Amino acid sequence: MKVAVVGAGAIGAYVGAALHRAGAQVHLIARGAHLAALREHGVQVLSPRGDFTAHPRATDDPHEIGPVDYVFLGLKANAYAASGPLVHPLLHERTALIAAQNGIPWWYFHGLPGEHTGRRLESVDPGGAVSATLPPERAIGCVVYAATEVAAPGVIRHLEGTRFSIGEPDGTLSPRCLEFSRAMVAGGLKCPVEQDLRNDIWIKLLGNISFNPISALARATMAEICGHPDARELVAAMMRETLEVAARLGSRPEISVERRLAGAERVGHHKTSTLQDLERGRPLELDVLLAAVVELADLTGTPVPTLRTIHAVADLLNRTTSAGPA
């Protein structure tokens, strides 16, 4: 099994190291000091489950790799539309794209029966640019429950969680999903194949859609948000509105708002990825988290006043700071 990891950062390099340990032929695509460290020392994983080092091949040129069986996308979703030069040299006619992204994926309505089947969401696939680069029929969904960080170039610190839920957009238990799952498990990770991955998407989104923008607006950690009564209620309101949108689209994830809040509170003084992006001067990943759900609310006629308000001020923040477009 030949795998290329496009965007071999915290999650991508961690997955690549696990697959390499399982015997897959793995190629990491990275750049700069991180790439140099990967070439010289391999991927060094620091984990409460045991440290290890893997030595997959690393490059910044996908043409050196050629076509592969699976492309694991470790990029932020807002980089998908421009990822063609990195992805296209890796494709043969059956190559699968495993998109480890937060939020609503560009393939959400692909293979989904009902009145919206095949619909494109402008917020996550503007003008069809993402679908043109990453054809939905190649997509395997992936919801990441692991937390990792780049401790130093070539060094990945695994903080918690090993679950990567995957699934076909049409809900089938495909041979390609089962093969990839087996390789992930052999590498020491959990990788259940879900027949309805959209429920997992909504469960993960409940936290991302609320804590991520609020953390950036308030420069606050998860624990600080949960410990502030009014902020906690704001998060709960956003979660309730999100669950209503999901329900009107036929998804009813089996988790309560209070249980989701309690899980976030246990994370402690953790900075969300959106707050980290703000601090590093990077664009905020808001479209797939907030804008997409507001668009889905319009599609389904769902009132989401809290989500609209937070989206407006978070989008303004993105546009008026160094993280936003010039």
Side-chain angles (χ1 to χ4, degrees), residues 24-225:
Q25 183 183 342
V26 177
H27 301 261
L28 307 179
I29 297 177
R31 60 187 180 181
H34 189 53
L35 172 59
L38 292 172
R39 283 173 164 167
E40 185 172 357
H41 303 295
V43 183
Q44 300 176 64
V45 176
L46 309 178
S47 173
R49 306 173 70 236
D51 301 346
F52 70 95
T53 300
H55 295 271
R57 296 177 183 177
T59 182
D60 58 0
D61 183 3
H63 292 91
E64 292 181 1
I65 302 169
V68 300
D69 302 308
Y70 297 91
V71 174
F72 185 91
L73 294 169
L75 304 169
K76 290 288 185 75
N78 51 19
Y80 283 1
S83 67
L86 293 175
V87 173
H88 292 167
L90 304 170
L91 303 180
H92 58 57
E93 61 181 14
R94 295 182 305 280
T95 302
L97 304 173
I98 300 173
Q101 72 162 94
N102 288 324
I104 301 295
W106 83 100
W107 53 261
Y108 189 88
F109 288 113
H110 178 71
L112 182 67
E115 60 179 312
H116 304 303
T117 186
R119 187 182 185 92
R120 179 178 60 81
L121 292 174
E122 186 65 24
S123 52
V124 301
D125 188 9
V130 176
S131 292
T133 301
L134 308 173
E137 60 270 18
R138 290 186 181 271
I140 292 174
C142 179
V143 178
V144 178
Y145 294 96
T148 59
E149 63 183 14
V150 178
V155 181
I156 305 301
R157 180 175 287 113
H158 171 232
L159 303 172
E160 63 175 354
T162 59
R163 180 179 165 193
F164 293 77
S165 297
I166 64 172
E168 293 284 356
D170 65 1
T172 58
L173 294 176
S174 67
R176 64 181 188 170
C177 276
L178 295 173
E179 179 187 44
F180 188 80
S181 172
R182 285 192 295 268
M184 292 279 277
V185 171
L189 304 178
K190 297 177 182 177
C191 189
V193 180
E194 304 288 354
Q195 286 189 278
D196 190 354
L197 190 70
R198 290 175 181 84
N199 279 335
D200 283 70
I201 288 171
W202 287 105
I203 290 172
K204 180 77 181 291
L205 182 57
L206 284 181
N208 290 145
I209 200 172
S210 51
F211 283 101
N212 285 48
I214 292 173
S215 70
L217 290 166
R219 270 61 165 194
T221 66
M222 305 272 277
E224 288 167 340
I225 295 169

Side-chain angles (χ1 to χ4, degrees), residues 301-316:
T302 311
V304 288
T306 315
L307 293 179
R308 289 186 191 279
T309 300
I310 296 300
H311 176 248
V313 291
D315 187 58
L316 180 62

